[in-house]
Amino acid sequence: MFLFLSYVSWIFHGKIVVYKLVRVDGNGQLVPATDDELMEVEGLMENEKHETHIVADTGQALGCISNEVSSSGMPQLESSEGLSQSENTEADTEKLSAQLEGTVPFGAQSLTDDHATQPGSVGECLKPLDGPIQGGSSTSAGCISSTPDFSKLKGEICLDNLSIKELHEVFKATFGRETTVKDKLWLKRRIAMGLTNSCDVSTTTFVIKDNKLVKKDNEDSANNVNLATGKEFQAVAVEFNGDLLNSLSSQIDEHQTVSAVRSGNNVVENNFANEDLAADQRAAKRVRKPTKRYIEELSEAESKEYSGNSGRLLASTKNIGIRPLPSESHGRLARNAPLEGRTVITRLDSLGGFGIQVPCVYRVRRSRPRKNVTALLKFHPSGMSMTATFIKRGLDVHGSQMGNESMSKVLEAKSSPEQTHQFAAESNKEKSSTNLGHNMELKYVDPSGDTSDDNVVTVPTAKGGIRRKHHRAWTLSEVMKLVEGVSKYGAGRWSEIKRLAFASYSYRTSVDLKDKWRNLLKASFAQTPVNQVASSRKHPSMPIPAPILLRVRELAEMQAQVPSPNLGASKLLACGGGGGGSVNETRPGYL
DNA sequence: CTTAGGG
DNA sequence: CCCTAAG
């Protein structure tokens, strides 16, 4: 197997993030993990010893990936018009993403909190094979209905002997989306993780009760042994990155993998693009006219040599600090002759039997808040200067041995995640002039968008101008997190929620949260008619699961009743515990 | 800067 | 989602 690694570094909320991208020969592009994935995984890491699980899960996901059609059910929008990239690549990526998307186990409790957990059926496994799981309201066992059958999440759930079909049902109820994965084990684990809000699920038994996994046997403690604590693992990761990744990816067959090593947080992640990412990529291909912003940016620093080419090419070749590893000599990768000093990395792709060199595609920044870029560049003189220069170096010096060591050293110099978070928050306010930023460089460290690709649509405005409008569909998980946040901190305290509950989602601004909440309210009060005529379209957008809407309504009413009796935590606690079902602090890292 | 509300 | 007015 051929693969190459490359480094992309940028700053996210003041943190240096190093991504190690792995690309398997024959497949498509490099896909850096998005910051939110990163953060999410990080969140997981903070809680438990997830390293093993994540890795393991990855393996599994990959294992069954080939059977999958398209989890998101989204049509493949990209056409021959796209880059010469193989469609397979895209498809694979999407599959991976879709599967990975669900990996985030948070919020499961909100789903089951008040509505799904009923004492009634406790203590009994559902008997799947006897018919439709649990009568309830439900839409038949066919997975065609668009509304998840949440009754399946009630009480104790015994995933063990469910049929695939049934697992799909449960999956849908759990994650609010469908899956086409046919691997039972994967489904079970996935669901289990979702329901238990943890990656720590058994590999053998899947009985979930009250959001907790009922372990029936002494399971895989053995699995954890190797990887031990995060720190040890980190050491390994840092030192043996290459090998680690190599072996990792060889474990997972020939599937494209994107794994990230983030030394700063002592974690090694094997990251696949998540749903959003996939969506973004689709969009990226769809919208191939270079955005105005692109043009601006390009004109700023880029030479004109490419101006004749399509913007797409420009965009895709606009990578920096990407350094193919020696393995490039495997032939699949070829480095073009430098064009006016710039090196274009291309890869040999076979298209229709012909070997074609196409530029490697890297994700480009999307940056809504460009202003923030500058803000983020103003590092704390003392704390960040080193980092800053480091980044600069990393970006500028292509061929230099910007090894893992140096990277990790810098990263290690940084403090714990929490502190880093705070620092990040702080750093926005900081005003130092560590001036390293020509926009050119900044672009690549832009925390807010880089990974999150553009779903940028230019909208002509009445006033003659055209403005970009990015759209990023809200994930179910995001929605749940939002609800959770509102229940914790109260609606209206968007910035709080943003900071505390949405730290992982860089692209959601407090305003976004507010807007989304508004929409949720609208949706929740607009009673969901028994049957939506909306069934006309296949997957316009997953409707928000009823329980969530219910909860939204509850919170709304509740908070309306109690406008703002007092300030301080008491209120918040009261709110949380009162109606909506409190949200337990399962994440030590947050507050 | 953060919220709220309109578009 | 964006923009803007208001605290």
Side-chain angles (χ1 to χ4, degrees), chain A residues 17-193:
Chain A
V17 180
V18 183
Y19 284 106
K20 181 161 244 182
L21 308 170
V22 183
R23 194 187 152 282
V24 180
D25 172 39
N27 276 333
Q29 63 241 52
L30 284 177
V31 185
T34 63
D35 41 6
D36 43 312
E37 295 168 46
L38 188 73
M39 300 295 286
E40 282 175 358
V41 179
E42 167 189 336
L44 299 181
M45 296 306 184
E46 286 170 4
N47 292 336
E48 311 169 42
K49 13 74 188 185
H50 283 301
E51 289 88 336
T52 80
H53 299 293
I54 286 189
V55 172
D57 185 53
T58 294
Q60 288 198 15
L62 287 166
C64 59
I65 215 151
S66 36
N67 315 340
E68 217 198 344
V69 183
S70 170
S71 324
S72 58
M74 299 273 292
Q76 303 285 314
L77 294 172
E78 45 287 320
S79 59
S80 51
E81 174 184 22
L83 295 177
S84 10
Q85 226 88 268
S86 66
E87 300 266 287
N88 297 340
T89 297
E90 185 75 8
D92 273 359
T93 305
E94 185 173 330
K95 291 171 194 167
L96 288 169
S97 350
Q99 296 191 40
L100 262 271
E101 191 268 339
T103 304
V104 189
F106 67 56
Q109 78 256 35
S110 27
L111 240 171
T112 45
D113 261 357
D114 332 309
H115 311 289
T117 310
Q118 306 278 317
S121 41
V122 171
E124 250 190 304
C125 273
L126 302 171
K127 299 294 183 188
L129 299 179
D130 299 347
I133 316 180
Q134 244 253 353
S137 43
S138 106
T139 46
S140 59
C143 340
I144 302 135
S145 62
S146 57
T147 39
D149 184 357
F150 292 97
S151 64
K152 295 190 189 314
L153 296 182
K154 292 183 181 180
E156 186 170 301
I157 306 164
C158 184
L159 300 174
D160 279 325
N161 31 23
L162 296 190
S163 69
I164 299 227
K165 207 177 187 180
E166 289 158 336
L167 284 171
H168 278 178
E169 279 290 297
V170 180
F171 183 95
K172 190 162 51 170
T174 307
F175 296 107
R177 65 181 174 83
E178 299 192 26
T179 182
T180 49
V181 179
K182 301 202 172 49
D183 183 35
K184 274 192 176 184
L185 185 57
W186 184 86
L187 285 167
K188 290 191 283 187
R189 298 194 79 233
R190 196 93 240 72
I191 294 166
M193 289 192 288

Side-chain angles (χ1 to χ4, degrees), chain A residues 12 29 56 64 89 132 185 243 249 262 286 294 297 311 369 414 418 422 425 428 431-432 455 462 485 508 553-554:
Chain A
F12 169 68
Q29 63 241 52
C64 59
T89 297
L185 185 57
D243 297 288
S249 28
R262 205 165 138 275
R286 205 161 47 235
Y294 259 133
E297 288 165 356
K414 300 183 62 58
E418 291 80 23
Q422 298 215 338
N428 279 328
K431 277 210 172 178
S432 77
N455 257 306
R508 300 294 183 203
R553 183 161 36 212
E554 284 179 7

Side-chain angles (χ1 to χ4, degrees), chain A residues 210-284:
Chain A
D210 296 338
N211 305 334
K212 289 192 176 177
L213 197 67
V214 178
K215 302 183 181 182
K216 279 188 178 174
D217 50 2
N218 330 315
E219 40 174 292
D220 48 14
S221 51
N223 281 349
N224 302 337
V225 173
N226 293 339
L227 300 170
T229 68
K231 298 208 171 178
E232 293 177 38
F233 194 52
Q234 171 209 17
V236 175
V238 168
E239 289 187 32
F240 304 111
N241 265 336
D243 297 288
L244 189 122
L245 289 169
N246 258 308
S247 55
L248 227 169
S249 28
S250 43
Q251 281 176 19
I252 7 185
D253 261 75
E254 327 181 14
H255 291 288
Q256 166 181 352
T257 78
V258 177
S259 71
V261 175
R262 205 165 138 275
S263 318
N265 201 23
N266 310 339
V267 296
V268 167
E269 311 161 34
N270 201 304
N271 242 326
F272 295 86
N274 66 5
E275 191 175 83
D276 299 281
L277 184 59
D280 288 340
Q281 284 175 332
R282 281 191 298 275

Side-chain angles (χ1 to χ4, degrees), chain A residues 260-387:
Chain A
V261 175
R262 205 165 138 275
S263 318
N265 201 23
N266 310 339
V267 296
V268 167
E269 311 161 34
N270 201 304
N271 242 326
F272 295 86
N274 66 5
E275 191 175 83
D276 299 281
L277 184 59
D280 288 340
Q281 284 175 332
R282 281 191 298 275
K285 285 195 171 183
R286 205 161 47 235
V287 185
R288 34 189 65 90
K289 255 179 75 178
T291 62
K292 184 181 173 187
R293 185 165 293 165
Y294 259 133
I295 298 174
E296 293 168 0
E297 288 165 356
L298 286 170
S299 58
E300 279 175 31
E302 201 92 15
S303 44
K304 323 79 198 165
E305 66 249 324
Y306 278 156
S307 53
N309 286 332
S310 71
R312 184 170 81 245
L313 181 58
L314 271 173
S316 39
T317 52
K318 221 177 57 164
N319 46 61
I320 284 197
I322 309 253
R323 177 173 64 90
L325 284 185
S327 58
E328 93 178 72
S329 57
H330 279 306
R332 275 302 203 167
L333 277 177
R335 185 183 299 221
N336 286 354
L339 285 170
E340 295 182 27
R342 259 176 53 87
T343 301
V344 183
I345 299 169
T346 61
R347 68 192 173 82
L348 209 52
D349 228 357
S350 65
L351 196 75
F354 296 97
I356 304 179
Q357 279 201 349
V358 297
C360 290
V361 179
Y362 300 99
R363 307 182 50 84
V364 284
R365 81 183 274 262
R366 158 215 170 173
S367 90
R368 160 166 36 172
R370 179 168 198 169
K371 26 187 177 181
N372 288 355
V373 175
T374 46
L376 278 147
L377 274 185
K378 296 170 181 171
F379 296 110
H380 197 293
S382 57
M384 295 302 267
S385 55
M386 179 169 73
T387 331

